[in-house]
Amino acid sequence: MNLKIAIPLNKEQKIYHYNPWTAPNFAIYSVRTQEERLVYECSIVVENPWVEEDESMICDPMMCSDGCSDTVKADLNHLADHYIILEAIGGCNYIVAGTFCSNIEKVMAKGGIEIYPITPFITDPELAIKNLLIGLKFTKDMKKIVRN
């Protein structure tokens, strides 16, 4: 079993709890089984492609929560803009997210990425990884979750 998990990060490398579309970076974690253990490691930290396209979106507080008005959500061009996030996290199985808009939900579903909701008091990416792994059904027989 091999998994890839994306975690949106803020500038302090803690979990970014707002809409992932506006996160500055993403940590991509790899998870594999090794005997009766789940082993995880941060493979890479990638910049949100929106930083290059439109850095104002990253910093816009209006876009950080649900962000998109109903009128904007219905705009197909705007929905298409959300697909840029797949440049950073395409190929992942899961994304950890505190808040996300309906457009991100659609994009993740189309990209085959399941959204794993995380509570706002978890700020450490490694704690989020462990939280997600404990919650997955197929990990119930694993004895340990360890960092590589």
Side-chain angles (χ1 to χ4, degrees), residues 78-137:
H78 180 75
L79 173 60
D81 288 343
H82 283 66
Y83 278 87
I84 197 169
I85 198 174
L86 293 177
E87 288 181 22
I89 66 169
C92 288
N93 305 94
Y94 293 92
I95 183 170
V96 170
T99 304
F100 49 91
C101 67
S102 60
N103 284 338
I104 282 295
E105 195 169 16
K106 290 174 190 170
V107 168
M108 294 300 105
K110 293 279 188 188
I113 301 171
E114 192 172 326
I115 297 172
Y116 183 80
I118 195 78
T119 59
F121 61 83
I122 295 178
T123 59
D124 179 25
E126 291 199 16
L127 184 56
I129 289 291
K130 290 176 183 176
N131 197 313
L132 183 151
L133 293 174
I134 288 169
L136 298 177
K137 288 181 182 180

Side-chain angles (χ1 to χ4, degrees), residues 37-123:
R37 300 181 310 161
L38 285 171
V39 180
Y40 69 92
E41 65 183 326
C42 182
S43 306
I44 190 168
V45 174
V46 294
E47 189 173 72
N48 185 337
W50 261 118
V51 171
E52 290 179 20
E53 293 292 322
D54 186 0
E55 191 168 355
S56 67
M57 297 299 272
I58 302 300
C59 303
D60 184 355
M62 260 316 266
M63 298 303 293
C64 286
S65 58
D66 186 37
C68 309
S69 69
D70 289 339
T71 305
V72 172
K73 285 180 193 177
D75 178 356
L76 292 178
N77 289 323
H78 180 75
L79 173 60
D81 288 343
H82 283 66
Y83 278 87
I84 197 169
I85 198 174
L86 293 177
E87 288 181 22
I89 66 169
C92 288
N93 305 94
Y94 293 92
I95 183 170
V96 170
T99 304
F100 49 91
C101 67
S102 60
N103 284 338
I104 282 295
E105 195 169 16
K106 290 174 190 170
V107 168
M108 294 300 105
K110 293 279 188 188
I113 301 171
E114 192 172 326
I115 297 172
Y116 183 80
I118 195 78
T119 59
F121 61 83
I122 295 178
T123 59

